[in-house]
Amino acid sequence: MATSGGNYRNGTHKSSMKVDRSLSLNSNPKPSVKSKSLPSSGPRRNSTGSLAGGAAKDNAEVPGRVRVAVRLRPRNAEELVADADFADCVELQPELKRLKLRKNNWDSDTYEFDEVLTEFASQKRVYEVVAKPVVESVLDGYNGTIMAYGQTGTGKTYTLGRLGEEDTAARGIMVRAMEDILADVSFETDSVSVSYLQAPYTYMQLYMETIQDLLDPANDNIPIVEDPKTGDVSVPGASLVKIRDQQSFLELLRLGEAHRFAANTKLNTESSRSHAILMVQVKRAVKERDSAFSSENGISSQMKTLKPPIVRKGKLVVVDLAGSERIDKSGSEGHTLDEAKSINLSLSALGKCINALAENSAHVPVRDSKLTRLLKDSFGGTARTSLVITIGPSPRHRGETASTIMFGQRAMKVENMLKLKEEFDYKSLSRRLDIQLDKLIAEHERQQKAFEDEIERINIEAQNRISEFERNHADALEKERLKYQKDYMESIKKLEEQLVKNQQKNGSEKVPVGLKDDGSALTSNTKSSKLSAVEEVAELKKLLQKESLLRKAAEEEINNLKSQIAQWKRSEASGNSEILKLRKILADEASQKEKLEGEIGILQSQLLQLSFDADETRRRLDRGGSGKVPGGLESLMSQVKHHQQDSGNGGTGEKASIAKLFEQVGLQKILSLLEAEDSDVRIHAVKVVANLAAEGESMAKCLGLPSCLSLAALELEMNQEKIVQAGGLTSLLMLLRSSEDETIHRVAAGAIANLAMNETNQELIMSQGGIGLLSMTAANAEDPQTLRMVAGAIANLCGNDKLQMKLRDEGGIKALLGMVRCRHPDVLAQVARGIANFAKCESRASTQGTKTGRSLLIEDGALSWIVQNANNEASPIRRHIELALCHLSQHEANAKDMISGGALWELVRISRDCAREDIRTLAHRTLTSSPTFQAEMRRLRIDY
Ligand code: ADP
Ligand code: MG
């Protein structure tokens, strides 16, 4: 409020520091809300936000006050004359951001604003200090409002609506804002591109409580629609036009102005009697690293293609309000009076809302007028809002100026909670994945077919060539053989004939020789026959030589043929090796195919996981600022169940996709992914296994079975059995050992905790060194959720009678007690549950006589923690501890230690005050049946 002489509103810079800090406290890197010129500030107005709670991470709410600037119009021609002898009614001190409103010649009131713009302020500067931060917010995915308030003729339209066609420097806020928006967005229609924009806008005027579309003036009673869930206000009935460039925007503005002029002429009014509202909706695809969602899982580069595109939706509303002057002054009457009332109605409703908000009043009369309904989000909502109040210098309008200033002062007290409007575009991711998948499948099929054809062809060709060679060679060989056989036979025949001839010759000559009658005659005869014999021998020799030459040639020919055959054989062998090579390629192809199928599986599981996460996110968003950490060991189960409840009918489809995934990918494959190299894949696989381990009801549902409880339990058991049979439990335990990733530890421990609900699994976990691994995980973990899971798993194991000794010997109790270092109530509740389970088994064993001596819990030093927490304010912790105390006290061997440890007092308290009757009775019974306790109570004179 204004005060006299130099006393002014408290600066808000201190609190603006506060905002920065709370932003940086946020574990998620938020897109910075650029607020150089008009820093957001001030403590939160009320507790609607959840900045301190866990949900703030996804809600991205940032507090911010409505920023108010005041702009003084220079004296106009008339004022220069009429007010020539008078001083201006205001004096500005822009460097101090103060305005002095003159009361009289010697006294004035001082007011402080976020910006004080003198009559010399350029349009550019006005845009930069008033509008630019809002426009930048809108581009970052917030809603933003810029409005001008002031008496008619003080420069509202000048500030907001000047087109500046004759002088660029005169361009107003609307034109400059659109320039900035258009410069910052990409028009790529390709959904793959990094950013794209739809910048539709609506331009209408609010007149006599009806909303008229200035782009389609016939459309003059447009309803306001409010989304019951988000509270977002919209006017879906108004024309939405896509803007691609500044020129088309200017044309629309001109068209709007023309329609406004025509409509007002028809109604015999002026445009200053109506509110002009320009709405610009900006929808952008966000780069991964800029997103508020991005750091959640530390997505690797491989995963990036799997992230659904994120879209941010920002809405910029620019409002040129009707003149704020009082009706009586403007001398309205008749129709104009109605109209003025109506204008006053909406303006005065706006004033009332701002008063209510500034005073933190419980009721804000938003519904009193259409204007306030439409601007609901701009004051005290989730939009960043800048208000420029315009004033004139003339002392004649001092009253108007003063009331305008008061309006601005009150608006400065209004606190908004900015909310980032960011969401995953799952549809387009799914579309992209589907296309990618189908492409891969088709490509693979084509390649495989081509390979098979090629191999077939080569095979046939080789076969043909071999058989052709074989045929040719057999023929040639046979021919040669026959030829030589024939030659040989002929020459033998010739020789035989020759021989016969010779023998005959020799035989006829021998007779006379043997007679030896006439020696002379004989001698001459013998001589001639001898000669012919020699000739014959020579001839034979020649023949023989020829024969042997021929034979040699034949042999050579045969060798030649043999070597040719060898060569053919070699080429056949090389043909065979080529076939082998092709076979190998085919095998490689097949394994490639298998790998691709595996990848498809991963893709599907990741998609599934993403949709889980998204649902989780959505739910958290829906829950708003509750900031409550989900309790109980069964968080994974509840995650799945919630998911089911939330998604309603749609959920069945998604469940069906789990079943489908389960069927298609196969548990074995999912489990094998637990050892994948990529840690993201590993995390996803562990999450899927964890979900399966926690999922019964949903499986029943997706199989189309009625989701009765027993069936759900049966399904859960079936799932768990399948996981264990397929070696999933072993893999999960291995992960605790081998992985260093805390997320994996948390999810794996959660899955183990779920599996550890079953007795057979408990024994398996123990026999595989589970206690050691869980203890190790507990010792290294810092995240309370990890500790909660580990404690839950051990707590389940504590409830198994057969495993008591082993569990203790392997350090189970010590591990449990070690986890109380984390003071998170969920962790403590699990520790308490483990202790109660253990104590119950022990008391059973001692009743049966199988256990003697002190409790192992006491041996391991649990008693002091038990006593300290017996009256813990968190009821789950208290209840378990109370039970544990009752169980411990049933065994006389523990009584002494319990007395010295202070447990007796607690027992007495429990027996008297415990809200649960069964526990109360149990405590009472144990106290009265123990002689040691009885004696001590007598000694202490406790009346019992
Ligand atoms: P409103 O919209 O508040 O009724 P206008 O924007 O129509 O007022 O301004 C009234 C007149 O004053 C116009 O002629 C306009 O050009 C002039 N005017 C307003 N503000 C300024 C300014 N800052 N500098 C120069 N002329 C101005
Ligand atoms: Mg105007």
Side-chain angles (χ1 to χ4, degrees):
M1 264 290 153
T3 46
S4 287
N7 202 352
Y8 55 91
R9 250 180 71 98
N10 243 349
T12 48
H13 303 286
K14 242 186 277 161
S15 31
S16 86
M17 285 298 291
K18 220 181 213 164
V19 174
D20 289 346
R21 222 174 302 131
S22 56
L23 265 174
S24 64
L25 266 178
N26 236 331
S27 57
N28 241 348
K30 282 285 112 49
S32 64
V33 178
K34 293 162 199 156
S35 52
K36 280 157 264 157
S37 311
L38 297 179
S40 62
S41 71
R44 288 202 334 254
R45 196 177 67 78
N46 53 32
S47 58
T48 50
S50 56
L51 203 65
K57 211 152 89 174
D58 300 314
N59 254 352
E61 284 192 352
V62 184
R65 187 166 57 63
V66 170
R67 319 297 302 170
V68 182
V70 58
R71 185 181 198 184
L72 176 66
R73 170 176 59 66
R75 282 187 180 201
N76 58 27
E78 186 214 327
E79 285 162 346
L80 282 173
V81 177
D83 300 334
D85 296 335
F86 303 97
D88 286 352
C89 70
V90 291
E91 181 190 329
L92 304 188
Q93 297 176 310
E95 63 291 345
L96 296 175
K97 305 199 168 173
R98 285 186 210 165
L99 172 151
K100 281 186 175 173
L101 176 65
R102 230 180 280 284
K103 276 179 172 171
N104 46 48
N105 279 339
W106 58 92
D107 198 8
S108 62
D109 285 334
T110 305
Y111 301 91
E112 194 183 8
F113 286 93
D114 292 308
E115 281 298 334
V116 170
L117 300 159
T118 65
E119 66 268 47
F120 308 112
S122 65
Q123 290 281 75
K124 183 173 190 320
R125 208 171 102 68
V126 172
Y127 172 74
E128 269 160 13
V129 298
V130 174
K132 203 174 173 87
V134 180
V135 172
E136 282 171 346
S137 275
V138 169
L139 287 167
D140 281 343
Y142 298 87
N143 283 347
T145 308
I146 301 162
M147 57 181 103
Y149 179 97
Q151 191 186 354
T152 298
T154 50
K156 297 183 294 296
T157 307
Y158 184 89
T159 302
L160 297 179
R162 280 289 287 259
L163 298 185
E165 285 163 309
E166 63 296 336
D167 173 12
T168 4
R171 285 166 305 157
I173 283 176
M174 286 180 183
V175 176
R176 288 173 196 265
M178 187 54 78
E179 270 166 9
D180 273 4
I181 290 173
L182 292 176
D184 203 66
V185 296
S186 142
F187 285 105
E188 299 273 37
T189 42
D190 194 340
S191 63
V192 183
S193 64
V194 185
S195 60
Y196 67 95
L197 168 92
Q198 277 192 341
Y201 79 93
T202 314
Y203 190 23
M204 62 202 145
Q205 66 174 330
L206 198 61
Y207 176 74
M208 300 275 289
E209 285 300 283
T210 65
I211 297 178
Q212 181 180 26
D213 190 346
L214 282 176
L215 301 177
D216 176 13
N219 193 4
D220 63 1
N221 200 1
I222 302 173
I224 298 174
V225 175
E226 203 174 320
D227 185 329
K229 250 200 215 148
T230 61
D232 281 351
V233 175
S234 61
V235 274
S239 321
L240 267 182
V241 182
K242 280 194 183 170
I243 295 293
R244 287 208 138 252
D245 54 37
Q246 189 66 11
Q247 208 45 45
S248 56
F249 174 67
L250 287 176
E251 268 152 32
L252 276 174
L253 274 188
R254 235 177 275 131
L255 178 74
E257 273 314 312
H259 285 154
R260 197 179 177 198
F261 182 79
N264 290 320
T265 310
K266 200 167 132 202
L267 290 169
N268 194 20
T269 66
E270 303 165 45
S271 59
S272 68
R273 301 253 148 255
S274 66
H275 313 283
I277 300 157
L278 173 77
M279 283 181 170
V280 185
Q281 290 172 19
V282 184
K283 207 195 250 182
R284 322 177 68 191
V286 189
K287 283 196 201 104
E288 167 62 31
R289 65 191 150 77
D290 295 339
S291 159
F293 295 110
S294 67
S295 70
E296 183 90 330
N297 289 328
I299 305 295
S300 77
S301 61
Q302 189 211 338
M303 271 290 289
K304 255 177 201 158
T305 54
L306 287 176
K307 279 300 265 189
I310 295 161
V311 281
R312 280 188 190 155
K313 296 175 179 175
K315 187 171 76 175
L316 175 68
V317 181
V318 184
V319 190
D320 186 351
L321 289 166
S324 62
E325 57 276 359
R326 266 181 266 127
I327 323 164
D328 54 356
K329 242 191 182 177
S330 55
S332 309
E333 49 188 37
H335 173 71
T336 35
L337 185 65
D338 268 353
E339 162 199 294
K341 269 185 196 152
S342 170
I343 294 155
N344 238 28
L345 172 84
S346 53
L347 261 192
S348 70
L350 179 64
K352 278 183 201 152
C353 286
I354 285 176
N355 284 347
L357 285 163
E359 282 155 21
N360 240 335
S361 146
H363 175 67
V364 181
V366 177
R367 309 205 68 84
D368 284 4
S369 78
K370 286 207 175 157
L371 178 73
T372 48
R373 280 179 65 200
L374 208 58
L375 298 181
K376 172 174 163 262
D377 209 37
S378 306
F379 283 110
T382 57
R384 170 176 287 269
T385 301
S386 266
L387 172 71
V388 53
I389 58 168
T390 55
I391 53 176
S394 170
R396 284 172 293 146
H397 298 300
R398 198 191 159 280
E400 280 313 323
T401 305
S403 90
T404 301
I405 288 170
M406 295 322 293
F407 182 89
Q409 286 288 297
R410 284 191 297 272
M412 278 179 86
K413 292 187 181 167
V414 175
E415 193 82 31
N416 285 355
M417 292 302 296
L418 296 191
K419 200 167 178 180
L420 187 60
K421 310 249 177 190
E422 189 172 82
E423 58 188 42
F424 281 131
D425 190 352
Y426 275 102
K427 272 192 201 143
S428 88
L429 172 71
S430 172
R431 225 172 18 245
R432 219 169 65 205
L433 282 177
D434 270 352
I435 292 168
Q436 216 172 314
L437 202 67
D438 282 343
K439 256 197 209 152
L440 280 173
I441 289 171
E443 183 53 32
H444 178 255
E445 197 178 11
R446 267 196 294 277
Q447 277 182 11
Q448 195 170 7
K449 181 81 179 68
F451 265 101
E452 278 168 6
D453 289 355
E454 181 68 7
I455 282 171
E456 182 78 25
R457 194 185 62 72
I458 291 173
N459 233 337
I460 290 171
E461 198 177 299
Q463 265 335 316
N464 286 346
R465 270 159 70 182
I466 288 169
S467 53
E468 193 187 313
F469 287 139
E470 275 175 358
R471 242 190 345 268
N472 288 349
H473 280 275
D475 286 358
L477 266 177
E478 187 63 21
K479 248 190 235 157
E480 283 298 308
R481 199 179 60 78
L482 285 175
K483 191 176 146 223
Y484 285 109
Q485 208 172 16
K486 209 171 124 211
D487 285 1
Y488 185 69
M489 293 307 282
E490 267 169 15
S491 50
I492 295 280
K493 218 161 124 197
K494 257 189 209 158
L495 278 172
E496 271 172 2
E497 276 167 19
Q498 198 71 42
L499 198 66
V500 172
K501 245 196 237 162
N502 282 351
Q503 273 171 355
Q504 276 170 359
K505 231 190 225 166
N506 281 348
S508 64
E509 275 169 10
K510 250 173 199 169
V511 184
V513 170
L515 288 175
K516 267 189 186 176
D517 283 336
D518 190 340
S520 63
L522 186 72
T523 312
S524 74
N525 264 352
T526 315
K527 251 188 188 166
S528 74
S529 76
K530 242 182 198 168
L531 207 82
S532 73
V534 169
E535 275 170 8
E536 205 130 333
V537 167
E539 208 176 310
L540 277 175
K541 261 188 187 160
K542 237 189 258 164
L543 260 173
L544 209 64
Q545 253 168 9
K546 207 173 123 198
E547 231 16 75
S548 68
L549 273 176
L550 272 171
R551 195 198 165 102
K552 232 184 228 162
E555 273 172 6
E556 249 166 47
E557 184 77 8
I558 285 172
N559 278 342
N560 218 351
L561 286 171
K562 268 189 189 155
S563 83
Q564 268 190 39
I565 287 176
Q567 217 173 329
W568 286 125
K569 284 243 165 81
R570 269 200 299 280
S571 76
E572 186 190 348
S574 83
N576 280 342
S577 83
E578 196 165 340
I579 289 174
L580 280 179
K581 240 196 257 161
L582 288 169
R583 288 235 164 91
K584 200 169 157 284
I585 292 175
L586 185 63
D588 284 353
E589 271 307 301
S591 81
Q592 188 73 16
K593 178 190 171 197
E594 217 161 83
K595 233 165 64 195
L596 280 172
E597 279 169 358
E599 271 166 33
I600 289 168
I602 302 172
L603 292 177
Q604 282 170 333
S605 81
Q606 283 167 343
L607 181 59
L608 177 71
Q609 191 56 47
L610 282 173
S611 67
F612 273 148
D613 291 352
D615 279 334
E616 179 73 1
T617 309
R618 204 173 303 142
R619 197 166 49 256
R620 260 186 277 160
L621 284 171
D622 287 350
R623 266 206 311 251
S626 81
K628 210 178 140 222
V629 182
L633 163 70
E634 297 76 10
S635 91
L636 287 170
M637 261 169 98
S638 73
Q639 191 181 329
V640 173
K641 279 179 188 156
H642 261 139
H643 173 74
Q644 201 180 329
Q645 287 159 4
D646 287 0
S647 39
N649 284 342
T652 325
E654 287 189 41
K655 286 302 127 191
S657 74
I658 302 184
K660 220 163 120 196
L661 171 76
F662 202 25
E663 221 172 77
Q664 281 177 353
V665 180
L667 183 57
Q668 202 63 54
K669 201 156 268 171
I670 297 176
L671 289 176
S672 75
L673 294 178
L674 292 178
E675 282 143 48
E677 296 237 319
D678 190 309
S679 73
D680 289 311
V681 176
R682 257 193 339 262
I683 292 174
H684 280 286
V686 184
K687 282 186 182 175
V688 171
V689 173
N691 280 331
L692 284 171
E695 188 174 328
E697 204 175 338
S698 52
M699 285 298 273
K701 222 177 189 177
C702 74
L703 291 172
L705 301 171
S707 145
C708 65
L709 209 70
S710 57
L711 189 58
L714 193 72
E715 285 295 333
L716 176 61
E717 199 121 293
M718 262 168 54
N719 262 2
Q720 294 193 344
E721 208 177 304
K722 274 189 211 150
I723 292 172
V724 173
Q725 273 172 7
L729 181 54
T730 314
S731 304
L732 289 167
L733 287 167
M734 282 277 290
L735 279 178
L736 291 187
R737 193 200 319 268
S738 62
S739 172
E740 304 209 323
D741 186 317
E742 179 128 12
T743 309
I744 289 191
H745 284 174
R746 186 183 69 233
V747 185
I752 292 170
N754 276 324
L755 293 173
M757 289 191 284
N758 161 305
E759 210 168 300
T760 324
N761 293 348
Q762 288 167 355
E763 283 166 20
L764 269 173
I765 292 171
M766 292 297 289
S767 70
Q768 297 186 17
I771 285 297
L773 292 170
L774 289 166
S775 308
M776 193 179 75
T777 312
N780 296 331
E782 275 167 16
D783 177 13
Q785 294 313 315
T786 311
L787 289 169
R788 179 165 71 99
M789 296 304 172
V790 174
I794 298 182
N796 283 344
L797 296 171
C798 281
N800 188 318
D801 295 285
K802 285 182 256 169
L803 302 175
Q804 296 266 289
M805 281 310 284
K806 191 166 160 61
L807 186 116
R808 187 264 178 151
D809 290 347
E810 291 177 9
I813 298 173
K814 289 253 162 72
L816 215 46
L817 289 172
M819 281 184 269
V820 306
R821 71 175 193 276
C822 164
R823 302 191 170 280
H824 198 291
D826 289 350
V827 179
L828 298 185
Q830 294 304 328
V831 172
R833 189 169 68 84
I835 286 173
N837 277 348
F838 198 92
K840 184 167 76 191
C841 291
E842 269 194 340
S843 87
R844 253 203 304 260
S846 52
T847 323
Q848 289 161 4
T850 49
K851 158 119 183 61
T852 52
R854 289 202 304 176
S855 160
L856 297 176
L857 289 169
I858 296 178
E859 298 268 326
D860 276 2
L863 192 60
S864 70
W865 187 77
I866 294 177
V867 171
Q868 276 164 30
N869 287 278
N871 204 8
N872 193 303
E873 58 194 21
S875 70
I877 304 175
R878 190 174 63 241
R879 195 79 63 241
H880 288 307
I881 296 289
E882 284 171 349
L883 266 175
L885 275 172
C886 289
H887 287 307
L888 284 175
S889 63
Q890 286 190 343
H891 198 36
E892 197 65 11
N894 296 332
K896 270 216 177 88
D897 288 287
M898 292 186 70
I899 289 168
S900 64
L904 178 60
W905 293 107
E906 293 303 329
L907 274 168
V908 171
R909 180 190 59 75
I910 294 167
S911 73
R912 284 179 180 157
D913 303 341
C914 181
R916 265 179 58 178
E917 197 190 338
D918 49 347
I919 299 179
R920 221 168 43 229
T921 318
L922 187 62
H924 180 77
R925 223 179 34 230
T926 45
L927 278 177
T928 47
S929 62
S930 157
T932 317
F933 284 142
Q934 285 290 312
E936 179 67 7
M937 284 193 289
R938 270 197 303 278
R939 195 178 72 77
L940 294 171
R941 297 185 206 288
I942 296 175
D943 189 18
Y944 213 79

